[in-house]
Amino acid sequence: MAETLSDWDLRRLVTVIEDGRRDDPNRAMPWAVLDGLLDLIHCDAVGFTEFDVPHKVFLTEQFLEGHERSLALDNDQETDHPYWRFHHDFLPCSYAERTGDLRRIVLHSDFYSPAELHNTPFFAEVWGGHGPTHRMVATLPAAPGRTRRILLDRDSGPDFSERDRLVVQLLRPHLYEVYLDAQRRLNGVPRLSDRELQVLQLAAQGRSNADIARELFISVSTVRKHMEHIFDRTGARSRAAAAALVVPHLNVGNLG
C-alpha cells in the first residue's frame, strides 16, 4: 500500500517552505528550514553540507542538534581527512555520485544492516565508531564536482519510516529553491524570470542568439528581448557581466 501523508503533514510541509523563504539568509540553508525539518521528522540532528570533491574541500557543514547550531564555512583543504579515502566505498554516501540519481532519498538501511554499518571502515575511521545509527540523505543539485545534501540523523531507536522518506522527497525540490532564493537575497542577485534564466545560462555557455532560439524553440527576436530585460534588471552591459552576476549563484541541475 502506498504511503500517504496526513493533513497535518501537508500543512507542515508548506510551513517549512514558507518559513524558509521568510528567514534571514545565510551562506548555508536558512535555519528555519532545519528547525522545521526537526519538528516535522523526529531525529537527533539535521544538517546541510556542501563538499568540493575533486579538491577535497568541506565548503559548508551546517548542523542543528536540538537547540544547538553549528556552521563551518570554507574550511581549508584537508586532503588527508579519512572522509576522502572512504566516502566512495560507503554506499549511501556516494550513491548520487555513482549513479547520477539525485531524486532518490537514501537511508543507511537501504544498503546496510545496523551490524554491517558499524563494521564499515567509514563508520570506524570517519565517525570514530560513534556515528548515527540511522541517517536519511537528500541530494540537491550542485555545480559539477560538488555534492550538496540534506542529512537527518537518529542515534538510536527505530529507523526512518516510509512516511519520513516521502516527506523529504516532496520537500526536496522546494528546499533547493528556498536555498537558491536565500543565496540571491544574500548576494543581492537580481530576480529574473525562469525564461530569462534559461537564456542567460545558455548565453553564459557561449551560445549565440540563434543557438539559444533553437534550443528553447523561440525566435531570435524573442531572445534579444529577453537579453534586453536581463541587462535592464542586472545593470550589466554585456552577457559576460550579467552571467558573472547571476549564474554562479544558480548551480542549476536536474531536479527531476
Side-chain angles (χ1 to χ4, degrees):
M1 182 177 177
E3 187 68 37
T4 59
L5 299 181
S6 68
D7 289 342
W8 183 89
D9 286 331
L10 295 174
R11 288 195 297 271
R12 287 299 303 155
L13 289 176
V14 174
T15 299
V16 170
I17 297 164
E18 291 178 344
D19 288 351
R21 291 192 180 280
R22 286 193 294 263
D23 197 15
D24 292 334
N26 63 70
R27 290 179 58 194
M29 185 66 73
W31 285 107
V33 168
L34 303 192
D35 286 328
L37 286 171
L38 205 60
D39 180 54
L40 188 57
I41 300 174
H42 169 68
C43 53
D44 295 298
V46 59
F48 171 79
T49 63
E50 183 171 2
F51 298 162
D52 181 338
V53 178
H55 297 98
K56 300 181 179 179
V57 177
F58 302 109
L59 298 171
T60 305
E61 293 181 281
Q62 176 189 25
F63 283 93
L64 177 65
E65 299 184 55
H67 298 292
E68 296 293 324
R69 295 179 175 183
S70 63
L71 177 60
L73 297 168
D74 301 329
N75 289 333
D76 293 333
Q77 188 178 40
E78 297 183 66
T79 57
D80 59 345
H81 193 285
Y83 176 87
W84 305 115
R85 297 203 307 275
F86 297 108
H87 88 282
H88 191 269
D89 291 330
F90 187 60
L91 300 180
C93 187
S94 61
Y95 174 81
E97 294 172 57
R98 290 183 291 103
T99 66
D101 180 7
L102 274 63
R103 301 179 183 88
R104 182 179 174 186
I105 307 303
V106 172
L107 307 185
H108 277 172
S109 57
D110 292 336
F111 304 91
Y112 304 113
S113 69
E116 290 170 336
L117 173 67
H118 285 76
N119 285 326
T120 61
F122 189 96
F123 194 91
E125 299 295 331
V126 179
W127 288 335
H130 301 288
T133 299
H134 307 296
R135 169 169 281 185
M136 181 160 50
V137 181
T139 302
L140 305 183
R146 295 189 178 186
T147 61
R148 187 181 286 153
R149 299 185 178 104
I150 298 286
L151 311 172
L152 296 99
D153 291 344
R154 283 181 183 165
D155 297 330
S156 60
D159 197 0
F160 292 101
S161 66
E162 288 306 308
R163 172 264 180 194
D164 299 333
R165 196 195 305 250
L166 179 57
V167 165
V168 176
Q169 182 179 341
L170 292 175
L171 273 175
R172 176 184 162 272
H174 302 288
L175 296 185
Y176 177 59
E177 291 300 329
V178 168
Y179 170 77
L180 290 182
D181 181 68
Q183 300 314 300
R184 294 186 191 108
R185 289 187 287 130
L186 183 67
N187 294 286
V189 178
R191 181 177 291 278
L192 304 180
S193 71
D194 289 344
R195 180 62 88 186
E196 288 165 351
L197 288 172
Q198 289 176 324
V199 168
L200 184 55
Q201 285 175 287
L202 292 171
Q205 297 170 15
R207 307 282 192 92
S208 67
N209 284 354
D211 291 336
I212 296 171
R214 282 192 295 271
E215 178 81 15
L216 300 179
F217 300 100
I218 57 179
S219 68
V220 173
S221 62
T222 299
V223 174
R224 292 196 193 100
K225 182 60 67 175
H226 283 312
M227 290 305 306
E228 290 174 6
H229 291 166
I230 290 168
F231 291 152
D232 286 342
R233 293 178 182 180
T234 62
R237 297 186 178 183
S238 69
R239 296 177 179 218
L245 179 63
V246 177
V247 173
H249 302 292
L250 297 179
N251 293 339
V252 174
N254 179 21
L255 273 174

